Amino acid sequence: MKSINIKDKFSKFDKNWHPHQIAVVDNMQVILAKLKGEFVWHIHDDEDELFQVIKGTLYMQFRDRTEVVNEGEIIVVPKGVEHNPFTKNDEEVHVLLFEKLDTAHTGKVKHEKTQTHFPKI
């Protein structure tokens, strides 16, 4: 039971689209990621995802619209909703995610950006 300095944790990695686990709460994980550019369209059939923008502006694309998520804001993507997070103008965006431990990074989609291991930092 120690406090976690999120800013310090972000300083421990540079790779974009590669989540790192910082805590576990019951069967949920708290992960940090640096995002830059476009990700990949995907869906989580059985899990919701919560994104909190720590730094920058995240764009969450859905098939019918795009939501802008500013620094200090959150967005919850409900299970079963196809989505594609991205950033604009070469901006690196820092996000905190809260999701189930068994959530697949890109759902059933296999892509070069898909990660199967989230290092613990």
Side-chain angles (χ1 to χ4, degrees):
M1 293 184 294
K2 291 184 177 182
S3 62
I4 297 171
N5 184 309
I6 293 172
K7 185 176 179 181
D8 177 61
K9 295 295 185 181
F10 273 114
S11 75
K12 297 189 179 298
F13 66 97
D14 293 317
K15 197 171 182 181
N16 291 310
W17 303 109
H18 193 266
H20 289 69
Q21 185 187 90
I22 62 167
V24 173
V25 181
D26 290 330
N27 70 335
M28 305 291 287
Q29 63 183 338
V30 181
I31 54 181
L32 301 179
K34 294 179 179 181
L35 315 180
K36 189 174 185 180
E38 190 165 340
F39 193 48
V40 58
W41 280 100
H42 65 286
I43 190 169
H44 303 283
D45 291 329
D46 300 311
E47 303 91 15
D48 299 332
E49 278 186 302
L50 181 147
F51 292 77
Q52 178 184 2
V53 177
I54 304 296
K55 175 184 166 192
T57 303
L58 177 67
Y59 298 86
M60 187 63 69
Q61 191 173 17
F62 301 103
R63 289 297 181 185
D64 63 341
R65 71 188 188 288
T66 298
E67 289 291 325
V68 179
V69 189
N70 294 301
E71 194 168 303
E73 296 180 338
I74 67 169
I75 189 167
V76 175
V77 179
K79 59 185 154 206
V81 175
E82 192 175 23
H83 58 288
N84 181 30
F86 68 96
T87 71
K88 289 184 178 180
N89 303 320
D90 210 32
E91 179 183 27
E92 182 176 80
V93 176
H94 295 186
V95 296
L96 179 148
L97 294 98
F98 193 68
E99 61 189 24
K100 289 182 181 177
L101 282 167
D102 60 356
T103 301
H105 189 220
T106 53
K108 294 178 184 174
V109 174
K110 300 298 180 211
H111 188 272
E112 64 186 30
K113 292 182 180 176
T114 301
Q115 301 297 314
T116 57
H117 173 69
F118 299 169
K120 295 177 183 180
I121 57 172

